[in-house]
Amino acid sequence: MPDIALTRAPAHVRHGSNIGQPLTRRDGVLKVTGAAKYAADQHPAGMLHAVLAVSSIARGRVAFLDVAAAKAHPGVVEVITPANRPTLAQDPDEKSDPFMFRLDLLQSDRVRYANQPIAVVIAETLEAATEGAAQLAPRYEVEPARVGLDAAESFVPPAVGVGNPAQVTRGDVEAGLAASTRKTAETYETPAQFHNPMEPHAIVAAWDGDTLSIDTPSQGLAVAQARLAGLFGIPPDNIHIRSPFLGGGFGCKGFISGPQILGAIAARAVGRPVKLVLRREQMFGPVGHRAPTRQTLRLGADQDGNLLALDHHTKTISSTFDDFFEPASDASHTLYGSAAIVTSHEAVRGDIGTPLFMRAPGEATGSVALESAIDEMAQACGMDPLAFRLKNYAEVEPISGRPFSSKALRECYRQGAERFGWARRPLAPRRMRDADGLLVGWGVGTATFPALMFAGNAKAVLRRDGSGVMEIGAHDMGQGAWTALAQIAADALGLDIDQLEFRSGTSDLPDAGIAGGSAHTATAGMAIHNAGADVIARLANLATNDQRSPLFGAGNAGVIARDGRLLRRDDESRSERYADILGRAGLAQIEGHGTGAADAAAQADYAMHAHGAVFAEVKVDPDLGQMRATRVVGAFAAGRIINPRMVQSQLQGGMIWGVSFALHEQAVIDPRSGRPMNANLAEYHIPVNADVPSLEAILVEERDPHVNALGIKGVGEIGITGTAGAVANAVWHATGIRVRKFPITIDRLIEPR
Ligand code: MOS
């Protein structure tokens, strides 16, 4: 068990509630001093190192591996290939639900994509394993790789995202276009992107008979546990996963990946603990990515700038052996209130690893195209792009017809525009220069993300010494879950946060659901809230039924839990300490349980989304085309803010992803070989500090009474939506050139068109 005792944040003034306070990270000191142990920091006694050999071709079969040469290396202990891979209880190509992805666990010599694992070399040292893997010198039977959006015949996918229909129609788009006096029809392309958290997938696995103990980063402990249990044919309870800290996830750690499972297979094969860490280039294949898209948007409006038609079509790619289809067109379901809307998808299959959820899957890709197209429509109408959005944003969710549970978008537009200084923006492009002669452009984008919840559980304990415990197998990907969830727990138990022991990050704790879909704080938070309410109700029952308690008979009036005491709601002078109630009842502790899940009835009645408005400034060198985002202001309304410091950080992180999407990030796949050519962080460009503009995230007050009892909507992904489009629109405003292929690079800006 790693030491996950957390340090305490420095004191902050609190005003009766932990929720809403900008507490610093409880794990912050551990992290900045290097005391926080990540998976790859574990070194159990007797541990061996495993290194993956991965395919350098994208399609074909492995004809020969020089296993003898690898084994001849003095440090090498074992080499696992499809020829000797231990049997598994389940076929890794079996798929029993849409949340289960097919894995490459050396089940055959087929190669389905570049960087697919083809062997595991286990050695006494990392160096020996690395050298042993190089000795394998694979020979392949190569088949031509099918690469890119035109790789093959396209088809309509059975579903996009997770179970969303591929095509949705509302009204008659063709009639709307025919009636429109202003029309646009343009095609936008977004590239393949790979998640690339700072911490690559890593695992330290140790077996004891049929019991498996692992350290590995996970955004979904229980799902990982179930997947491992199925593959190894052991009960889930035999698997103990520790994942106290993640160095980022972005979606690629939502499901346990093939390489992580290969680490566990290796450990079992050699009967010793094994560590396996992906090298950076090995992140570009077996652990998911964001699929490229080609999106065509046709818009029509009347002479007053009212949207009459919106047609959003997406073409994307999935792998040859599994189904994940980037739901980009779905971004047009909620934002703009066009009288007629049609969204559709088509897909091809290519020789690439299966795409996966990545940082606002669908919303990020779809909104960059939609926000560009909306800007072009505003331009066609001769309108200010903000005024056009204010005129056309949806008052009720256009596709479903449901009212929004709450929507503070107008206020986001207002606060963001005011802070940014939007009113000074000239309508025409190429009109602003800075003191150095650089072209300056301003753009706006609308942000949106659904307020999702999965299902989660928590257990609460109040102890006779006055302290409390909250247990939940939640995941801190760096976003601050340890801190924000502990704040909710302290309030749920009516305790000072220093009186609370918050246990999280391991699979033996109650299942908190997946930390994805920006749903973790709402899901885990509501489980915690309800577990707290349950234990307080049990405690109150003890007191209000006991003649010796000052709370006797308060059952109907009810009690309040605060500062370790129960107080009569109608007369707070009558109160009793938790410790005294438990003591008199002769109990050492009392426990309660709670679940967090979406309210199906409320979801049927309301469309639930977070909203925001992002304003961006870019500067462009008029001669060289060099671009830089210099200033981004986002205003976001995302329900109740548990910890404004963490939320600012989440939103700013999301806005940096947005800048990255617009200007930096792309995987370049060699059309001849199907290999990613920039599988490293030198050539796969992400913003470094020097690329990050002045960033401001404004938290717009919003009380949503319908999403959940705490009013939490989630902020993990909304920052990327809106921002990418705002930056792209700012590039147009600076230069008068509309680049419709992302990222917007210098060559695309200056190429003749
Ligand atoms: Mo996120 S792509 O749901 O981890």
Side-chain angles (χ1 to χ4, degrees):
M1 192 71 199
D3 180 10
I4 53 171
L6 299 175
T7 55
R8 293 213 169 88
H12 288 281
V13 180
R14 285 197 299 268
H15 303 284
S17 166
N18 293 284
I19 289 178
Q21 299 303 321
L23 301 191
T24 51
R25 281 179 160 72
R26 287 158 61 79
D27 49 356
V29 172
L30 293 181
K31 285 183 171 171
V32 298
T33 56
K37 284 196 167 185
Y38 290 79
D41 295 329
Q42 303 294 336
H43 298 274
M47 186 189 82
L48 296 174
H49 295 263
V51 165
L52 287 184
V54 298
S55 165
S56 60
I57 66 164
R59 182 184 176 205
R61 62 176 282 272
V62 179
F64 176 74
L65 288 170
D66 198 344
V67 174
K71 280 193 156 168
H73 190 287
V76 170
V77 173
E78 181 60 289
V79 177
I80 306 177
T81 72
N84 67 337
R85 191 264 267 153
T87 320
L88 293 169
Q90 192 178 45
D91 179 354
D93 278 319
E94 204 179 304
K95 184 168 175 129
S96 51
D97 70 73
F99 271 117
M100 182 180 266
F101 285 88
R102 298 192 167 102
L103 300 171
D104 288 284
L105 300 178
L106 306 177
Q107 62 264 42
S108 92
D109 58 11
R110 281 301 307 174
V111 174
R112 320 197 268 200
Y113 53 90
N115 293 331
Q116 176 191 313
I118 55 172
V120 183
V121 177
I122 307 151
E124 296 288 348
T125 64
L126 176 62
E127 291 74 13
T130 305
E131 204 171 308
Q135 296 291 327
L136 289 171
R139 287 203 297 272
Y140 302 96
E141 280 169 20
V142 187
E143 294 167 45
R146 293 156 292 190
V147 180
L149 287 157
D150 302 308
E153 197 71 8
S154 72
F155 60 95
V156 176
V160 296
V162 179
N164 301 345
Q167 311 212 29
V168 173
T169 304
R170 178 216 187 207
D172 186 339
V173 158
E174 297 308 329
L177 285 170
S180 296
T181 53
R182 318 281 170 167
K183 285 180 238 190
T184 58
E186 297 292 353
T187 297
Y188 307 85
E189 285 195 32
T190 65
Q193 300 175 345
F194 286 75
H195 302 76
N196 278 302
M198 285 294 286
E199 178 202 32
H201 293 65
I203 185 168
V204 175
W207 287 86
D208 180 3
D210 261 350
T211 304
L212 171 62
S213 162
I214 62 182
D215 293 282
T216 200
S218 171
Q219 293 176 241
L221 288 163
V223 184
Q225 203 182 25
R227 188 72 163 116
L228 288 163
L231 286 163
F232 288 110
I234 55 176
D237 285 349
N238 281 20
I239 299 163
H240 187 204
I241 309 176
R242 288 165 298 235
S243 179
F245 309 111
L246 286 80
F250 308 154
C252 68
K253 294 168 184 167
F255 303 107
I256 193 160
S257 67
Q260 287 163 294
I261 296 165
L262 285 168
I265 290 174
R268 186 170 232 194
V270 296
R272 284 168 68 178
V274 163
K275 178 190 298 193
L276 189 153
V277 183
L278 287 190
R279 287 200 302 268
R280 184 55 65 182
E281 75 270 21
Q282 296 176 339
M283 294 290 290
F284 289 72
V287 296
H289 67 286
R290 193 201 294 285
T293 70
R294 182 183 296 145
Q295 303 176 54
T296 302
L297 281 104
R298 296 188 302 150
L299 274 65
D302 65 19
Q303 68 275 17
D304 299 324
N306 297 298
L307 268 182
L308 301 180
L310 168 54
D311 174 3
H312 192 160
H313 178 75
T314 297
K315 187 176 188 184
T316 187
I317 311 181
S318 197
S319 70
T320 55
F321 56 94
D322 211 341
D323 296 321
F324 180 84
F325 301 100
E326 177 79 4
S329 297
D330 292 2
S332 285
H333 286 178
T334 61
L335 263 183
Y336 296 103
S338 174
I341 298 177
V342 59
T343 63
S344 55
H345 298 82
E346 68 180 307
V348 299
R349 294 196 181 277
D351 298 305
I352 189 151
T354 306
L356 197 63
F357 316 92
M358 174 170 159
R359 305 181 210 141
E363 286 84 7
T365 39
S367 78
V368 71
L370 175 62
E371 288 302 310
S372 297
I374 286 288
D375 229 60
E376 299 203 56
M377 189 76 247
Q379 188 190 334
C381 294
M383 285 177 69
D384 171 82
L386 176 59
F388 185 82
R389 284 170 173 81
L390 279 164
K391 193 180 192 80
N392 283 293
Y393 80 79
E395 296 283 3
V396 297
E397 192 179 54
I399 293 289
S400 71
R402 291 172 301 178
F404 291 100
S405 56
S406 71
K407 185 169 192 172
L409 180 55
R410 179 169 289 273
E411 192 55 22
C412 296
Y413 284 135
R414 194 189 68 74
Q415 290 189 25
E418 187 178 299
R419 179 74 195 164
F420 186 83
W422 183 262
R424 300 194 310 276
R425 177 185 181 275
L427 187 60
R430 227 182 154 89
R431 292 290 159 84
M432 295 195 293
R433 298 243 181 182
D434 74 358
D436 298 324
L438 297 177
L439 293 164
V440 178
W442 289 356
V444 60
T446 310
T448 188
F449 200 83
L452 304 173
M453 287 180 75
F454 301 117
N457 305 289
K459 175 180 156 187
V461 176
L462 291 172
R463 298 189 188 119
R464 194 163 165 172
D465 64 5
S467 68
V469 184
M470 188 65 74
E471 295 190 339
I472 183 158
H475 317 86
D476 196 321
M477 295 186 277
Q479 83 278 44
W482 277 115
T483 309
L485 295 177
Q487 287 175 257
I488 297 172
D491 283 9
L493 292 173
L495 286 178
D496 188 292
I497 202 163
D498 295 337
Q499 289 290 99
L500 170 76
E501 195 181 317
F502 182 72
R503 295 187 189 145
S504 189
T506 59
S507 65
D508 55 337
L509 299 171
D511 172 14
I514 284 183
S518 302
H520 201 42
T521 310
T523 307
M526 279 306 298
I528 288 167
H529 177 76
N530 290 332
D534 185 43
V535 75
I536 294 294
R538 289 166 194 273
L539 188 70
N541 233 359
L542 288 179
T544 58
N545 289 316
D546 184 342
Q547 296 197 9
R548 293 165 293 173
S549 168
L551 296 167
F552 176 69
N556 288 335
V559 296
I560 299 167
R562 194 171 68 214
D563 299 331
R565 306 182 78 85
L566 293 184
L567 306 91
R568 248 187 102 112
R569 192 178 292 278
D570 58 355
D571 177 5
E572 293 195 4
S573 72
R574 291 157 75 181
S575 73
E576 190 170 30
R577 297 194 316 144
Y578 300 168
D580 294 335
I581 300 168
L582 289 171
R584 208 175 39 245
L587 294 173
Q589 62 175 52
I590 185 168
E591 73 179 54
H593 300 264
T595 64
D599 174 349
Q603 283 194 318
D605 289 347
Y606 297 100
M608 301 175 178
H609 301 271
H611 296 95
V614 184
F615 298 83
E617 175 184 270
V618 301
K619 292 188 177 179
V620 183
D621 186 305
D623 302 314
L624 303 175
Q626 284 177 319
M627 281 159 280
R628 198 172 278 281
T630 46
R631 192 158 65 91
V632 180
V633 174
F636 300 94
R640 184 194 297 253
I641 300 306
I642 301 302
N643 181 322
R645 183 192 301 267
M646 305 294 141
V647 167
Q648 288 271 355
S649 162
Q650 286 270 80
L651 292 171
Q652 292 191 2
M655 289 156 76
I656 294 168
W657 297 344
V659 171
S660 188
F661 197 122
L663 301 180
H664 299 281
E665 221 174 321
Q666 65 174 325
V668 182
I669 313 290
D670 188 333
R672 299 160 302 179
S673 68
R675 294 174 64 177
M677 293 190 283
N678 56 343
N680 57 72
L681 289 185
E683 293 161 298
Y684 182 89
H685 291 165
I686 53 168
V688 297
N689 279 348
D691 298 308
V692 175
S694 152
L695 282 178
E696 260 185 279
I698 299 169
L699 309 183
V700 174
E701 172 103 8
E702 183 181 46
R703 290 275 177 257
D704 187 323
H706 303 294
V707 278
N708 48 61
L710 290 170
I712 299 170
K713 283 187 168 177
V715 292
E717 291 159 283
I718 188 172
I720 190 171
T721 75
T723 305
V727 171
N729 294 336
V731 171
W732 170 78
H733 190 240
T735 62
I737 299 166
R738 183 70 67 174
V739 178
R740 301 188 182 88
K741 193 166 183 173
F742 291 88
I744 302 172
T745 49
I746 295 173
D747 55 320
R748 289 171 181 163
L749 195 64
I750 64 178
E751 82 185 5
R753 73 204 66 233

